[in-house]
């Protein structure tokens, strides 16, 4: 279990999946596909691709040019929503969000004027609702956002029934089926009552059908497939190669550089990720993306360059006008000072954790918990070595992490929580270094300790998950199933959602 991984996951995964959903929600088409009341002009098609690259200023200029010619074109309303959503996900601008929510009904009305014979009518309606849904989720309006997803799902299912040969429906419906299949088990009864159906395997099949049948959508459908494997399943060597290949093929695509960076960081390849981050395009043609400095701060923290990491987090906070990851960044600035032995200075940043930002995302919730526990004396200087080793492991600096851990043993720590963390860190270092059999006793020990202390249950759940993967790799599927189910059995720890999702995805892959 890695808090740094969890923070990247909830800082990057939410953004990745939101952006990806909107990357998949439109289709400029050739002249032979055009409907009489939808005009996919060359400028609007170019605007669509510019949005995908996060070149929003250029995209809006192209859209405005077309608006002057035919403001009633439904594709313009669609692209307005599409561009706004990308901006909101990254900028977290509350004023623009309010304007966006007021405009969405007008955009739906315009799209609603499309002919009932057009397969784009319900597709566009559903996708605009998805834009609204994920904007609302981003800004903390979860109930309203969830209802928008339900409405979108029903529109897409209806479109599939009315136009079964219209494959583009599957680009959004397939993603929703995966998301529905990832809902925690204790909430599946709600899904059934609402009439929502889907599972991970079904969604993957639908996305791959788009790859096979729709050349225009091949890259987009393949991209979501890769990201789902990166964050819920496991990437194959071929998929890892593809993640690296795309930014090189499209050096002007900021979104692809962002994807490659975050996926490689998740795969414990921060040194390689830093090169894609360094090559990410920038300039007035692109919308500002301060979160890239957050990622630079993460990589520096993992490599042990605490001063450089501090500078990047500070730069992120100065450039960022949003509300998420504020607490998390101040918490990381605390870590930069605390791990460097500047304890008194470090404490001032924990005060800012409690005084600023929001607690919508789990990274910020965790930052508040760290601030509280440090203030209560529950975080010991003994744990510094564990934090340093954790960050090094997250970045793929395995030898550095191993060298740090040589100075301590389980006896070096006083609490069950610390002992469980020590064993989990040792196991992860050994596993990631290819010494699988040596990692197993440490995972078993972390599992046992986590069962005796609820505070350490997250380490136990994470250990069970990794033991499931190890058993799966050994083709011992019976044992793998038992471990994955055990991972899901632990309650109320900070990694509950992510671990349960991964375990459930693995069980689905095993036919359970």
């Amino acid at each position: 279990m890695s808090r740094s991984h969890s923070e990247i996951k909830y800082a990057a995964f939410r953004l990745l999946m939101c952006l990806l959903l909107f990357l998949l929600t439109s289709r400029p088409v050739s002249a032979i596909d055009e409907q009489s009341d939808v005009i996919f002009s060359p400028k609007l098609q170019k605007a669509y691709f510019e949005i995908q690259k996060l070149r929003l200023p250029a995209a809006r200029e192209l859209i405005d040019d077309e608006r002057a010619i035919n403001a009633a074109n439904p594709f313009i309303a669609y692209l307005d929503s599409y561009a706004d959503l990308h901006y909101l996900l990254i900028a977290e601008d509350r004023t623009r969000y309010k304007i966006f929510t007021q405009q969405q009904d007008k955009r739906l009305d315009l799209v609603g004027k499309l002919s009932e014979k057009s397969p784009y009518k319900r597709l566009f309606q559903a996708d605009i609702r998805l834009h609204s849904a994920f904007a609302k989720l981003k800004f903390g309006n979860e109930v309203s956002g969830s209802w928008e997803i339900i409405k979108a799902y029903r529109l897409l299912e209806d479109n599939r029934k009315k136009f079964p040969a219209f494959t583009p429906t599957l680009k959004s419906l397939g993603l929703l089926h995966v998301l529905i299949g990832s809902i925690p088990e204790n909430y599946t009864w709600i899904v059934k009552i609402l009439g929502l159906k889907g599972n991970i395997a079904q969604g993957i099949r639908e996305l791959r059908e788009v790859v096979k049948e729709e050349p225009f959508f091949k890259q987009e459908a393949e991209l979501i497939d890769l990201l789902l494997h990166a964050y819920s399943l496991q990437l194959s060597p071929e998929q890892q190669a593809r993640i690296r290949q795309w930014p090189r093929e499209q050096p002007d695509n900021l979104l692809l550089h962002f994807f490659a960076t975050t996926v490689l960081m998740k795969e414990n390849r921060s040194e390689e990720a830093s090169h894609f981050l360094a090559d990410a395009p920038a300039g007035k043609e692109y919308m500002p993306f301060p979160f890239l400095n957050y990622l630079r701060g993460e990589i520096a923290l993992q490599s042990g360059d605490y001063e450089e990491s501090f500078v990047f987090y500070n730069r992120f906070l100065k450039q960022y006008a949003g509300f998420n990851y504020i607490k998390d960044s101040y918490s990381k600035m605390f870590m930069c000072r605390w791990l460097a032995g500047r304890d008194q200075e470090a404490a001032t940043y924990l005060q800012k954790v409690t005084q600023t930002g929001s607690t919508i995302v789990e990274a910020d919730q965790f930052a508040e918990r760290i601030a509280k526990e440090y203030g209560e004396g529950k975080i010991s200087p003994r744990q510094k070595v564990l934090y340093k080793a954790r960050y090094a492991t997250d970045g793929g600096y395995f030898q550095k992490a191993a060298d740090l851990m040589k100075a301590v043993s389980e006896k070096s720590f006083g609490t069950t929580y610390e002992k469980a963390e020590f064993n989990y860190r040792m196991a992860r270092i050994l596993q990631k270094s290819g010494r699988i059999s040596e990692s197993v006793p440490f995972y078993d020990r972390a599992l046992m300790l986590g069962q005796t202390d609820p505070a350490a249950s997250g380490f136990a759940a994470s250990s069970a998950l990794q033991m499931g993967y190890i058993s799966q790799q050994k083709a011992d599927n019976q044992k793998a199933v038992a471990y994955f189910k055990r991972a899901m059995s632990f309650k109320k720890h900070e990694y509950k959602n992510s671990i349960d999702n991964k375990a459930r995805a693995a069980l689905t892959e095993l036919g359970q």
Side-chain angles (χ1 to χ4, degrees), residues 25-97:
T25 54
S26 182
R27 181 193 182 212
V29 295
S30 63
I32 58 172
D33 291 326
E34 288 186 11
Q35 303 291 320
S36 60
D37 45 4
V38 182
I39 302 173
F40 298 93
S41 70
K43 280 190 176 181
L44 292 182
Q45 291 189 46
K46 185 177 181 181
Y48 169 78
F49 289 112
E50 294 287 75
I51 294 168
Q52 292 179 14
K53 296 177 181 179
L54 300 183
R55 294 168 59 94
L56 298 192
R60 292 189 190 280
E61 185 175 346
L62 290 164
I63 295 169
D64 287 341
D65 286 347
E66 287 293 306
R67 197 189 320 276
I69 299 171
N70 181 11
N73 182 0
F75 195 41
I76 291 177
Y78 184 87
L79 290 178
D80 281 337
S81 176
Y82 188 58
D84 284 351
L85 201 284
H86 280 76
Y87 171 80
L88 291 171
L89 290 175
I90 294 171
E92 296 185 353
D93 184 329
R94 291 188 183 276
T95 300
R96 289 280 292 274
Y97 170 67

Side-chain angles (χ1 to χ4, degrees), residues 204-433:
I204 294 295
R205 285 196 304 271
E206 289 167 339
L207 288 165
R208 290 180 178 174
E209 182 177 344
V210 177
V211 172
K212 181 180 178 181
E213 302 294 337
E214 292 284 337
F216 186 88
F217 281 120
K218 180 177 180 179
Q219 175 173 298
E220 298 174 354
E222 186 182 5
L223 183 56
I224 191 171
D225 187 3
L226 288 173
L227 289 170
L228 289 168
H229 278 81
Y231 285 95
S232 293
L233 304 169
Q234 289 184 313
L235 286 168
S236 68
E238 293 76 17
Q239 289 174 319
Q240 291 184 28
R242 188 61 176 143
I243 292 269
R244 295 173 172 85
Q245 179 184 355
W246 269 342
R248 299 186 181 109
E249 293 176 349
Q250 300 182 40
D252 66 338
N253 193 318
L254 176 56
L255 190 59
L256 287 182
H257 282 79
F258 171 66
F259 285 159
T261 299
T262 52
V263 170
L264 287 169
M265 289 177 71
K266 181 187 174 297
E267 294 292 308
N268 309 111
R269 298 179 179 274
S270 289
E271 189 68 29
E272 185 179 1
S274 68
H275 298 302
F276 287 98
L277 196 53
D279 291 340
K284 63 181 182 180
E285 301 90 354
Y286 297 87
M287 73 165 294
F289 204 164
F291 192 72
L292 299 182
N293 279 322
Y294 174 94
L295 295 178
R296 293 182 178 102
E298 288 285 296
I299 292 172
L301 181 62
Q302 293 165 354
S303 69
D305 192 338
Y306 303 125
E307 186 60 37
E308 182 178 75
S309 177
F310 183 92
V311 169
F312 280 125
Y313 286 124
N314 193 43
R315 188 176 300 169
F316 164 68
L317 289 170
K318 287 182 177 179
Q319 295 175 346
Y320 184 57
F323 47 87
N324 289 316
Y325 313 114
I326 302 297
K327 292 179 182 294
D328 176 63
S329 294
Y330 279 123
S331 180
K332 295 292 181 56
M333 292 171 77
F334 156 78
M335 283 292 175
C336 290
R337 292 296 186 242
W338 188 60
L339 296 179
R342 299 160 67 173
D343 294 22
Q344 187 172 355
E345 183 183 353
T348 63
Y349 293 97
L350 286 187
Q351 293 176 4
K352 294 184 178 181
V353 170
T354 61
Q355 296 168 355
T356 60
S358 66
T359 54
I360 295 173
V361 298
E362 292 192 20
D364 290 328
Q365 296 167 13
F366 181 72
E368 280 222 329
R369 175 185 152 188
I370 288 290
K372 180 182 178 183
E373 291 183 353
Y374 186 84
E376 295 173 347
K378 295 180 180 179
I379 295 179
S380 165
R382 295 188 300 265
Q383 292 174 263
K384 286 187 180 184
V385 66
L386 298 178
Y387 279 102
K388 289 179 179 180
R390 184 191 77 215
Y391 290 132
T393 304
D394 290 343
Y397 305 102
F398 304 129
Q399 188 57 55
K400 179 175 183 174
D403 291 342
L404 286 164
M405 296 294 277
K406 287 178 181 177
V408 292
S409 68
E410 184 181 313
K411 294 180 180 179
S412 303
F413 303 97
T415 67
T416 302
Y417 181 93
E418 292 172 356
K419 293 176 185 292
E421 182 173 7
F422 166 79
N423 282 282
Y424 180 78
R425 300 294 168 214
M426 283 295 301
R428 287 298 281 162
I429 293 167
L430 291 166
Q431 182 187 16
K432 289 292 185 178
S433 300

